[in-house]
Amino acid sequence: MPPKRKSDAVIKVEDVGMDVDAVVDSGSEDEARRRAKNRRARPQRKPKRVSDDEEDEEDEDEAPKRRGRKKRAKSRDSDEEDEEDNRSVKSKGSRASRRKAAKEESEDESEDERQKKKKKGGKPVSKQEKEEQNKERKGKTKGKEGKEKEKDKKKKSGKFSSSSSSDSDDPSLSEGEIEALKEQVEEKKKLIVTLRNKPWRMKKRLVTLKEAQEFVEKFEGALGKGKGRRLYAFKVMMTKKLIKFKRDFENFKTACIPWERKIKEVESHFGSSVASYFIFLRWMYGLNLVLFGLMFGLVVIPEILMGLPYGSIPRKTVPRAEQATAMDFSVLFDFEGYLKYSFLFYGFYNNERTIGVLQFRLPLSYLLVGVGIFGYSLMVVIRTMARNSNEGGDGAEEGEFTFSWKMFTSWDYLIGNPETADNKYASITTSFKESIVDEQENQKDENIHLRRFLRVLANFLILCSLGGSGYLIYFVVKRSQEFANMKSEDLSWFEKNEVEFVMSLLGLVCPPLFETIAELEDYHPRDALKWQLGRIFALFLGNLYTFLFALFDEVTAKLESEKAIKNATEWALKQYVANYSAHYNTTNVPPPNVHPADVIRGPCWETAVGIEFVKLIVSDMQVTYLTILIGDFVRALLVRYLNYCWCWDLEAGFPSYGEFDISGNVLGLIFNQGMIWMGAFYAPGLVGLNVLRLLSSMYYQCWAVMCCNVPHERVFKASRSNNFYMGLLLLVLFLSLLPVVYTIMTLSPSFDCGPFSGQEKMYDVVMETIEQDLPSFIGNIFTYATNPGLILPAVLLMVLAIYYLNAVSKGYQQANLDLKRKMQMARDEEKNRRNNKDSTNQVMKDLEDLLPDKSLIPPPVEEEQEEEAPPPEVVNKKGSRSPKVKPGAAGKGVKLQKDVSLAAPNPKAPVTRPPGPRRPPPGNARGPQPGSGRGRGRGGPPRE
Amino acid sequence: MDYTNDPDCKLPLALIVNMPELKENPFRNRIVESFSEDGMGNLSFNEFVDMFSVLSEMAPRELKAIYAFKIYDFNVDNYLCKEDLEKTLNKLTKEELTPEEVELVCEKTIEEADLDGDNKLSYADFENMITRAPDFLSTFHIRI
C-alpha cells in the first residue's frame, strides 16, 4: 500500500499544481532531462552539492544568517577549487558539451519563466520549438544580428567563457555575449528567487536550485560580478526585516487602540451586536476626552493657575451661613458646600477681562469653548457618520462568499495560545451563527399580507402607548406646577414625587412592552433593535422634556429672586457710598470693607443649573451600576448557586441569566451624552466627571457582561457602521444644543457670579472683544456679515447646495445599486452558462452511455485517456468549463434542474433530486478500480 | 533519532502535531498529513522545511491556496465535498452548531463557491473563491 499511496501523492501534487502553475508538467520533464544530463556530466560531485544546497535552503528559511553566509562563502571557495581541478583534468570537448547542456538548461528555464508569465499551459512545447522561441526572443532583444549567426556565436561564447573563466575577466568577450549571459544569469537568479513559490516536493526544488545556483555562480564569476549571492542574501534579509518591521508596526498600532482586546473578547462570545455597544462607548470616550481637553485646557486650568485664589472674592468663597456644614459629606454629595464654590461650576469664574501675565481673555474663552464643544461634537459626529456610510452596509453581507470565507479563512494559523484559541473558536461559532440568522431571514417565506397587517398593528399599538405615556407625562407635569404653587406641607409624599415616580414607572414598563409588541412584527433582530431603539428614544424624549421643563421653572424663579437681590445690593451700595461721602466729605469712596463670605449674593442660576446636571449624571451612574450589580451579578449568583437546591432548573427555566440589554445601554449612553452637552456650559467640571464615568463603565460593563450575562438567543450581526446610534446621537446633540443656545442668547447672566457677570447678555463678550481688541475693519466686516441682506442669500445658497449634493448622492446610490445588480447578474449568468453546458454535456453523456459498454474496455486505455485529459484542463482553466467537471452531476444550481428536465429525461435519476450517481464514492475513488479514475466522473457508466 | 548518521529519518505525526505552533490548530493533523509524502503524517526534514516554507509569510498566494486546498480536503479525493466541509466546520466550531445549522452552512458554502454545478468544490472553484478572500494571506501563515 505505501508505494501506491506515494505515487498517488505525486499525482495529486501535479494535478493540483497544474491549475495554478502551468509549467509544472513540462517543468518536471525538463527536470528529468536535466537530471539525466547532470548525472552524465558530473556524477562525482553530487552528494556534496546537495548538502551544500540544503545548507542554503535552510538559510533561506530561517536559520541564523551570519553563520550560514560564512559557511556558504567557504563552500563556494572550495567549489571554485573543485571547478579548477575539473577543468584541468577534463578534456575540452567534454567541457564544451557541458556548456551546451548548461545553455540548454537555461533556455528551458527561461522558457519556463515565459510560459509562467503568459499563464498559458498546453502540451509541453517540444525542445525544438522552445529553441525557436528562444531565438526569436534573443533576436528581439538584440535586433541587429541574424538568428543563425547569433545562435552560433552564443555557442562559441559558451566555449570561450568556459575556457577563459579561469582568468577572472576576459576582455575578449563581446558586448552581445555578455548581454546574453547576463540575461541568462538573471533568469537563473529569478528562478532561485521564485523557486520557493512552486508547489514541488522539496527534493525537486533542491535539485533545481542546485543547478541554477551552480550556473549563476559560474557565469557571474565569468562576468566579474560574484556578489550575486551575497546581494541576494542581503535582499532576502532586508525583505524579512521590512516585513517584520511592518508587522511590528501593525501590532503597535493595534496595541494603541484602547480596549481592543477586551472588546474582541466580548465580541467573540456575544457577537458583534453587543460589541457594537462597547465600540460606541469607546468612541464616546474618545470624543469626551477631546471635550475634556478643550474645557480644562482653555477654561479650568487657566482660571486655577492665573485667576484669583479661593476666598479672595465672594463668588469664590463659601457664604458664612453655609460654612459650618460646607465640608459635610452629605452636603458635598449634593454638590453644595465647597464643591458649589469650586471650579466645577460656572459661578466660580471671574469676570476680569484678562487674567495673568499672558493676558488670557477668560470670559471670551469660556464662551467660545462652550460653543466650540457643540461645534466640535457636531463636526465629529457628522464626519464619523459620513465615513461609516462610506464603509457602507447595514451589516447584511453583500459579499458573494460569506460562508466560504468564514469556513476557509477564519481560523488564524498563528494562534498558539490555548486561551486565544478558545476565544477564536467562540468567535467563529458566533460569526457563523450570525450569518445563519441572516440566511434564515433570507430564506423565510412569508405571508406578506399577514406580515404587513401585523406590522401596521404593532406600530399602531406602540404609537398608542407612546401617545398615552406622552399625555401622562404632560398631565403630571402640569399637575406638579399646580402643586408647586401650593404649600409643601399640604402635599403628600406621592404628590411631591409624582413626576419622578411616573417617569421611572414608564421607563420600567414601556421597553419590555415594546419588545413584546415587536414580536408581532417578526423583523430581523438587527432591524428589530433599530425599531426598539427608536421607540424607546421617543419615550425618553418625554423624560428630557420634563427635566427641561422643571429646570426652566427653576431658572425663571431664580432670575426673579436675583433681580430683587440685585436691586437690594445696588441700593445698599448706593447708600453706603452716600453715607461715606457725606461722612468723610469726599468723593473718593473706597469699596466697602466686607469679608467676601459675608457679602450678600444672588442665587446664581447658572450654578444651580450646573448642579442639577451633575446630580442627574451622578444619580444616573449610581442607578446604572446598581442595576448591573443587582440585576445581573446577584441574579447570576443566585441562579448559579441556588440551582443546586431548587425545585426547577433555574438556569434553563424562569430567571435564567440576564442578557445584555443593547438598546437600553445605548440609549443610556446617548442621553447621558446629551446631558453632558447641555450641562458642560454651566458646569465645566462635568466633562471631567463624564470621562471618569465612561472609563469606569467600560471596565465595569466589560466585566459584568463577561461574567454574568449569556449571549442572546439569536446572535445577530450588528451593522458595521454604527450609524443608527450616531443618528440618534446627532438628534440628541441637536436637542441639547437648543436650550443652551437659547439661554446664551436670551437670558441675562447673573450679576455677581460667573465670567459674564456685569454683561447684559453673554455674547456681549464677543462684541466687546471685536470692538476693543481687534482692528476696526474686522468690526466692519462683522457688521456687514450680520446684515440680513447677506445672511438670507447665504442661507439660500446653502439650501441649493444641499439640494444639489443630495441629488448627486442619490444618483450615485442608484448607479451603485445598478452595478451591484449587474455583477450579480453576470455571476448568475456565468453559473448558468456552466450549468447549461453541463446539461448539453448531459445529452452527450447519455449518448455516450448508449455506445457499447465502456467498462469492458481494458483499463490501460482508460488510463491513457486519463493521461491526456489534463492538458486541456490547463488550457481553458481561465476560460469556460474544464472538461473534468462532468455533467449534471447533481446540480444544485438554480437553473440546473430545469435544464436537466428540458434537455433530456434522465432515466436514471428523478428530476426532483438529482443524486449524481455518476460520481464514485470519494473514499475509494482512487482505490482498486482504475476505470473510475480520480473521481472525475469520467469512468464507466453508472451502475444501479 | 540520530540525524547526522541517518539523515533520512522521519518524524512521526504525533510528535510534530505537538509543537507549540501547531498545538492549538484544529487542522494540525491535516496540515502535517498533506505535507508528508506518505500521506500518514510522517515528515522527513525536507518535508518539514517545506511545510513551514509554505506557511511562511513569504510564500505567495497561489502556493498557499494549493496547500490550503489539500489541507481542507480531508478525504484526499481532490474535491472538497460536503463531508469535507462538515468536518472543517465541526473542527472550527468545536461542534457547537446543530446538525441543521451545519447542513445549512455547508450547502450555502457549496452554493456560493461551486461554479461548475457539480455540488462539490474543485480546486478551480476553491482558488476562485480564496483569491478574493481578504484575509486568507494574513491568517494562513505560521511564524516560527
Side-chain angles (χ1 to χ4, degrees), chain A residues 5-6 9-10 12-13 15-17 19-20 54 57-58 61-62 119 196-203 205-206 236 239-240 243 247 251 400-418 421-422 424-425 428-429 432-433 436 439-440 443 827 830-831 834-835 838 877-878 881-882 884-886 888-893 896 919 922-923 925-926 934-936, chain B residues 3 20-21 24-27 31 34-40 45-47 49-50 52-60 62-63 66-67 69-72 75-81 83 85 88-89 91-94 96-97 101 104-109 111-124 126-130 132-136 138-144:
Chain A
R5 277 201 72 112
K6 187 169 170 177
V10 171
K12 198 172 63 201
V13 170
D15 266 352
V16 173
D19 283 340
V20 169
E54 256 175 26
E57 193 62 28
E58 197 185 338
D61 270 306
E62 208 59 82
K119 275 273 175 189
R196 59 193 313 163
N197 301 351
K198 306 203 171 181
W200 299 340
R201 286 278 175 208
M202 204 45 118
K203 259 184 214 157
R205 281 196 219 177
L206 286 179
V236 168
T239 20
K240 271 188 185 156
I243 287 174
R247 190 165 73 211
N251 284 350
E400 6 173 20
F401 296 123
T402 325
F403 284 100
S404 317
W405 286 346
K406 281 211 166 79
M407 181 95 83
F408 296 120
T409 66
S410 59
W411 181 263
D412 191 346
Y413 281 59
L414 280 173
I415 291 174
N417 174 5
D422 279 347
K424 191 72 189 173
Y425 283 124
I428 290 174
T429 313
F432 266 118
K433 278 189 180 156
I436 289 172
E439 192 51 43
Q440 282 169 346
Q443 285 181 355
R827 196 160 165 265
E830 196 184 358
K831 260 192 173 177
R834 289 162 190 261
N835 290 349
D838 280 347
K877 177 193 67 160
K878 286 282 170 207
R881 205 180 56 83
S882 53
K884 67 183 166 183
V885 270
K886 265 303 148 189
K892 214 226 144 236
L896 184 59
R919 219 178 325 130
R926 4 168 87 274
R934 299 195 207 168
R936 257 175 221 198
Chain B
Y3 187 72
E21 282 80 10
E24 298 299 335
N25 199 312
F27 306 112
I31 296 175
S34 31
F35 281 97
S36 74
E37 213 163 336
D38 59 4
M40 305 296 290
F45 174 73
N46 278 341
E47 287 157 358
V49 169
D50 200 19
F52 282 109
S53 149
V54 168
L55 288 170
S56 77
E57 278 171 297
M58 313 277 280
E62 297 86 33
L63 187 65
I66 291 172
Y67 282 97
F69 182 79
K70 288 178 75 170
I71 287 171
Y72 295 123
N75 53 13
V76 207
D77 62 350
N78 265 349
Y79 284 100
L80 301 183
C81 47
E83 44 180 310
L85 297 181
T88 311
L89 189 59
K91 279 194 185 297
L92 270 179
T93 58
K94 286 200 165 170
E96 288 209 6
L97 297 180
E101 287 172 331
L104 177 78
V105 170
C106 293
E107 258 173 33
K108 284 299 295 179
T109 308
E111 191 186 313
E112 280 167 3
D114 184 20
L115 288 180
D116 43 30
D118 58 357
N119 226 1
K120 52 188 179 178
L121 305 186
S122 64
Y123 178 69
F126 182 77
E127 194 207 11
N128 179 37
M129 181 268 297
I130 211 81
R132 296 183 208 179
D135 38 13
F136 172 62
S138 60
T139 55
F140 195 75
H141 77 257
I142 293 180
R143 288 180 213 138
I144 48 172

Side-chain angles (χ1 to χ4, degrees), chain A residues 624-888:
Chain A
T624 316
Y625 286 6
L626 279 181
T627 319
I628 290 174
L629 200 64
I630 295 169
D632 285 331
F633 185 61
V634 175
R635 174 173 162 192
L637 279 185
L638 289 182
V639 168
R640 178 84 180 78
Y641 292 106
L642 278 185
N643 203 22
Y644 295 121
C645 48
W646 206 258
C647 32
W648 70 83
D649 189 0
L650 285 173
E651 283 183 340
F654 161 58
S656 178
Y657 297 104
E659 281 183 359
F660 187 79
D661 175 19
I662 303 173
S663 55
N665 275 301
V666 166
L667 284 180
L669 200 57
I670 287 174
F671 276 93
N672 173 58
Q673 192 59 36
M675 296 295 153
I676 300 301
W677 276 321
M678 275 192 271
F681 189 74
Y682 304 109
L686 191 60
V687 192
L689 199 72
N690 191 42
V691 167
L692 288 184
R693 180 215 164 131
L694 292 180
L695 191 68
S696 61
S697 69
M698 187 62 155
Y699 286 104
Y700 184 60
Q701 288 194 307
C702 266
W703 164 79
V705 79
M706 286 304 281
C707 105
C708 30
N709 282 1
V710 286
H712 290 251
E713 203 175 328
R714 297 178 79 192
V715 184
F716 62 93
K717 195 168 180 61
S719 57
R720 221 172 317 146
S721 59
N722 278 346
N723 264 4
F724 194 74
Y725 300 165
M726 287 292 171
L728 291 183
L729 191 67
L730 194 64
L731 197 57
V732 165
L733 177 57
F734 183 70
L735 288 180
S736 57
L737 183 65
L738 290 181
V740 173
V741 169
Y742 173 76
T743 50
I744 289 179
M745 297 309 275
T746 57
L747 296 183
S748 56
S750 303
F751 74 101
D752 64 345
C753 69
F756 310 114
S757 54
Q759 314 268 6
E760 191 55 39
K761 290 280 182 298
M762 289 181 186
Y763 60 84
D764 283 350
V765 179
V766 183
M767 298 299 168
E768 194 184 80
T769 310
I770 288 172
E771 276 161 22
Q772 294 185 7
D773 296 334
L774 295 178
S776 58
F777 73 91
I778 292 184
N780 285 342
I781 290 175
F782 198 75
T783 13
Y784 291 137
T786 49
N787 188 352
L790 254 174
I791 289 180
L792 274 182
V795 169
L796 206 66
L797 199 69
M798 270 199 247
V799 170
L800 284 180
I802 288 173
Y803 175 75
Y804 171 71
L805 289 179
N806 196 28
V808 167
S809 84
K810 280 253 171 64
Y812 280 137
Q813 250 170 16
Q814 190 55 42
N816 216 341
L817 221 67
D818 282 351
L819 284 178
K820 253 182 205 166
R821 207 176 300 142
K822 247 180 212 165
M823 268 169 68
Q824 182 63 34
M825 261 167 62
R827 196 160 165 265
D828 285 351
E829 208 166 287
E830 196 184 358
K831 260 192 173 177
N832 282 350
R833 205 164 34 119
R834 289 162 190 261
N835 290 349
N836 283 344
K837 240 186 184 172
D838 280 347
S839 62
T840 49
N841 274 4
Q842 177 96 30
V843 181
M844 295 303 293
K845 185 80 189 164
D846 287 341
L847 284 175
E848 253 175 61
D849 285 348
L850 290 177
L851 293 174
D853 198 349
K854 229 193 226 164
S855 62
L856 295 180
I857 300 170
V861 181
E862 292 258 331
E863 274 303 316
E864 248 180 50
Q865 276 185 351
E866 289 287 332
E867 290 308 312
E868 279 167 15
E873 255 174 63
V874 174
V875 175
N876 52 19
K877 177 193 67 160
K878 286 282 170 207
S880 59
R881 205 180 56 83
S882 53
K884 67 183 166 183
V885 270
K886 265 303 148 189

Side-chain angles (χ1 to χ4, degrees), chain A residues 298-349:
Chain A
L298 293 177
V299 173
V300 176
I301 300 209
E303 175 72 22
I304 292 174
L305 289 183
M306 300 187 285
L308 295 169
Y310 174 83
S312 53
I313 47 173
R315 69 186 68 179
K316 296 190 177 190
T317 320
V318 180
R320 187 76 68 197
E322 294 174 24
Q323 266 180 3
T325 58
M327 214 38 201
D328 289 2
F329 180 74
S330 61
V331 174
L332 286 183
F333 199 70
D334 278 343
F335 292 93
E336 298 283 335
Y338 281 108
L339 284 184
K340 186 178 175 184
Y341 302 96
S342 72
F343 65 88
L344 286 180
F345 295 107
Y346 172 92
F348 179 79
Y349 295 86

Side-chain angles (χ1 to χ4, degrees), chain A residues 437-613:
Chain A
V437 165
D438 278 356
E439 192 51 43
Q440 282 169 346
E441 282 303 313
N442 285 343
Q443 285 181 355
K444 198 162 61 183
D445 54 333
E446 37 190 333
N447 181 345
I448 203 152
H449 296 295
L450 179 67
R451 180 109 312 127
R452 268 187 199 151
F453 169 72
L454 283 178
R455 283 182 183 173
V456 169
L457 181 71
N459 274 317
F460 178 72
L461 286 179
I462 284 176
L463 274 182
C464 281
S465 56
L466 271 180
S469 49
Y471 180 73
L472 190 63
I473 292 171
Y474 174 76
F475 178 75
V476 168
V477 168
K478 227 177 164 192
R479 240 162 74 101
S480 76
Q481 278 177 308
E482 283 169 23
F483 289 145
N485 295 332
M486 291 151 75
K487 280 193 176 157
S488 59
E489 291 88 51
D490 302 341
L491 298 171
S492 66
W493 176 86
F494 177 76
E495 281 169 332
K496 268 191 230 164
N497 295 296
E498 202 176 38
V499 179
E500 286 80 10
F501 185 76
V502 168
M503 293 310 303
S504 45
L505 197 72
L506 282 179
L508 209 65
V509 171
C510 279
L513 183 73
F514 290 171
E515 210 160 327
T516 322
I517 295 176
E519 298 269 302
L520 279 181
E521 299 176 305
D522 199 19
Y523 277 121
H524 184 285
R526 181 168 47 238
D527 302 328
L529 175 69
K530 279 185 186 171
W531 280 101
Q532 176 79 351
L533 275 173
R535 285 160 185 165
I536 303 179
F537 184 85
L539 183 72
F540 277 13
L541 281 184
N543 233 332
L544 201 67
Y545 158 78
T546 46
F547 177 73
L548 286 182
F549 212 89
L551 213 60
F552 266 94
D553 277 355
E554 196 184 328
V555 167
T556 39
K558 285 250 160 81
L559 273 175
E560 266 165 33
S561 74
E562 187 192 79
K563 223 173 259 168
I565 293 176
K566 190 181 173 190
N567 283 341
T569 40
E570 268 168 10
W571 174 248
L573 195 68
K574 228 175 254 172
Q575 243 180 357
Y576 163 77
V577 170
N579 281 345
Y580 191 90
S581 50
H583 197 259
Y584 293 101
N585 207 4
T586 170
T587 48
N588 186 15
V589 185
N593 187 16
V594 191
H595 190 271
D598 299 328
V599 174
I600 307 162
R601 51 180 95 179
C604 196
W605 61 268
E606 292 96 338
T607 299
V609 170
I611 288 178
E612 282 300 315
F613 277 109

